[in-house]
Amino acid sequence: MSENILGAFMEEELVSQPAVWQRAVEQARAEQLLPADGQRVAVVGCGTSWFMAQSYAVARESAGKGMTDAFAASEAFLNSNSPDRQYDAVVAITRSGTTTEVLELLGALQGLVPTVAIIGDTSSPIVGLADAVIGLPYADERSVVQTRFATSALVYLLTSLGMDVQQAIDDARDAVSAPVSRELLDAEQFTFLGTGWTVGLAHEAALKMREAVQGWTESYSAMEYRHGPISIAAPGRVTWLFGDQPDGLDKDMEATGALYVRTGKHPLAELARVHKVTLERARSRGLNPDLPRNLTRSVILNASA
Ligand code: F1P
């Protein structure tokens, strides 16, 4: 692999997702490091990791495993600053293990509430801060833009809830190898939609294209989309649904003239397909998603990353 090829790391990492997800499934089945069923859990992270936290939180609570809330680490209302809002455990998601807001939060929670960190870099400082560590070093990445760590962390977490992700793995094999159509490459704007646990995936897809393509993207819950944002849909633009469609949305989309993408494939595989589209859109604009503008692998405040 040549480092001169734009997004060479991102390509290798996104294509490896089906195989890496399989490893995450096996690891999740072999470990029991997450909070027990019934516990009140807060899940935290920043950026991509926050969106994975959102997906997990909805999936856990929907599966009847206990109250689960997701917070951006910088905006978390946890035991230390809100005595009325008591959590039994906090789960932190971070690829780097060096993100300042996550480290500060776990530091503040030490001795107050049990914490579990799900991480990519198993030599990072978060290892000394969290009470338990779930390491996914085989999913760690060299590209600044995250693909497989985030999705593998979510695969691990969903598997821990008893969700079977085999369909995602099967669908993703096609998703990461299928060619990207000219219409998707040239589209002016993308809006991503989800329902339930896939809303977090929609937010992540939109972030990916902002980071790597510097493009105009939006993301909503599919029901909320009709409360205003659908005005943005127009010919030459794309609206992409992850998972179930609310009644009548296809008819509403037809009237807009936008390209409506709704494949019926597993939502995680659809996110992997967005990764591929993102890579090709970045390349077609001469951008390197391994090194996006104004972004580092980890946001370390008051220091250079
Ligand atoms: C979180 C994050 C990423 C973002 C970029 C900077 O990192 O904000 O979401 O894409 O890579 O860092 P982490 O805490 O998961 O390492």
Side-chain angles (χ1 to χ4, degrees), residues 145-198:
V145 164
Q146 291 200 31
T147 55
R148 75 175 177 202
F149 172 75
T151 54
S152 300
L154 186 57
V155 160
Y156 182 106
L157 292 164
L158 296 178
T159 302
S160 76
L161 300 175
M163 268 174 80
D164 182 357
V165 298
Q166 190 54 50
Q167 193 60 52
I169 294 172
D170 294 344
D171 288 349
R173 287 197 191 96
D174 286 343
V176 299
S177 56
V180 177
S181 70
R182 177 53 51 194
E183 208 175 1
L184 290 176
L185 276 182
D186 293 344
E188 178 194 20
Q189 187 274 339
F190 282 73
T191 298
F192 297 98
L193 307 178
T195 53
W197 72 274
T198 68

Side-chain angles (χ1 to χ4, degrees), residues 215-260:
W216 174 18
T217 62
E218 312 243 343
S219 51
Y220 302 93
S221 91
M223 293 299 284
E224 271 302 303
Y225 180 55
R226 291 187 282 202
H227 293 275
I230 196 169
S231 298
I232 287 165
R237 298 179 181 174
V238 177
T239 297
W240 193 322
L241 176 73
F242 294 89
D244 298 334
Q245 177 184 257
D247 281 348
L249 185 58
D250 44 357
K251 290 242 157 25
D252 296 339
M253 286 312 303
E254 220 176 294
T256 68
L259 175 66
Y260 180 40

Side-chain angles (χ1 to χ4, degrees), residues 2-286:
S2 162
E3 296 193 22
N4 296 325
I5 299 172
L6 296 176
F9 292 134
M10 182 186 182
E11 179 168 29
E12 187 201 0
E13 289 154 4
L14 81 87
V15 167
S16 73
Q17 286 178 107
V20 174
W21 293 355
Q22 189 65 55
R23 275 185 83 167
V25 166
E26 284 154 22
Q27 186 179 346
R29 288 193 179 137
E31 292 180 345
Q32 280 200 320
L33 294 166
L34 287 162
D37 290 358
Q39 289 203 315
R40 295 158 62 98
V41 173
V43 196
V44 300
C46 294
T48 293
S49 294
W50 175 38
F51 297 136
M52 298 301 103
Q54 291 177 5
S55 282
Y56 172 55
V58 176
R60 184 175 185 271
E61 191 155 330
S62 307
K65 306 284 186 185
M67 196 196 84
T68 317
D69 293 324
F71 297 100
S74 52
E75 299 288 347
F77 289 90
L78 302 183
N79 301 48
S80 58
N81 53 12
S82 180
D84 295 336
R85 193 188 297 267
Q86 293 293 324
Y87 291 97
D88 300 316
V90 172
V91 176
I93 304 173
T94 171
R95 175 180 70 174
S96 62
T98 52
T99 298
T100 303
E101 296 95 317
V102 178
L103 292 180
E104 283 181 355
L105 186 65
L106 289 203
L109 293 173
Q110 278 192 312
L112 292 174
V113 58
T115 57
V116 184
I118 178 159
I119 63 175
D121 181 350
T122 49
S123 63
S124 60
I126 202 156
V127 172
L129 275 180
D131 296 310
V133 169
I134 296 168
L136 310 180
Y138 52 83
D140 202 358
E141 297 167 295
R142 294 178 71 184
S143 175
V144 166
V145 164
Q146 291 200 31
T147 55
R148 75 175 177 202
F149 172 75
T151 54
S152 300
L154 186 57
V155 160
Y156 182 106
L157 292 164
L158 296 178
T159 302
S160 76
L161 300 175
M163 268 174 80
D164 182 357
V165 298
Q166 190 54 50
Q167 193 60 52
I169 294 172
D170 294 344
D171 288 349
R173 287 197 191 96
D174 286 343
V176 299
S177 56
V180 177
S181 70
R182 177 53 51 194
E183 208 175 1
L184 290 176
L185 276 182
D186 293 344
E188 178 194 20
Q189 187 274 339
F190 282 73
T191 298
F192 297 98
L193 307 178
T195 53
W197 72 274
T198 68
V199 176
L201 301 188
H203 293 326
E204 167 55 8
L207 176 66
K208 213 80 305 174
M209 277 199 191
R210 285 197 285 273
E211 288 179 337
V213 189
Q214 299 167 17
W216 174 18
T217 62
E218 312 243 343
S219 51
Y220 302 93
S221 91
M223 293 299 284
E224 271 302 303
Y225 180 55
R226 291 187 282 202
H227 293 275
I230 196 169
S231 298
I232 287 165
R237 298 179 181 174
V238 177
T239 297
W240 193 322
L241 176 73
F242 294 89
D244 298 334
Q245 177 184 257
D247 281 348
L249 185 58
D250 44 357
K251 290 242 157 25
D252 296 339
M253 286 312 303
E254 220 176 294
T256 68
L259 175 66
Y260 180 40
V261 181
R262 176 192 166 218
T263 65
K265 302 284 186 196
H266 194 285
L268 270 170
E270 281 298 280
L271 181 56
R273 196 151 86 90
V274 171
H275 292 156
K276 176 86 191 297
V277 173
T278 299
L279 173 69
E280 297 307 334
R281 280 172 63 82
R283 282 179 169 164
S284 73
R285 287 157 180 76

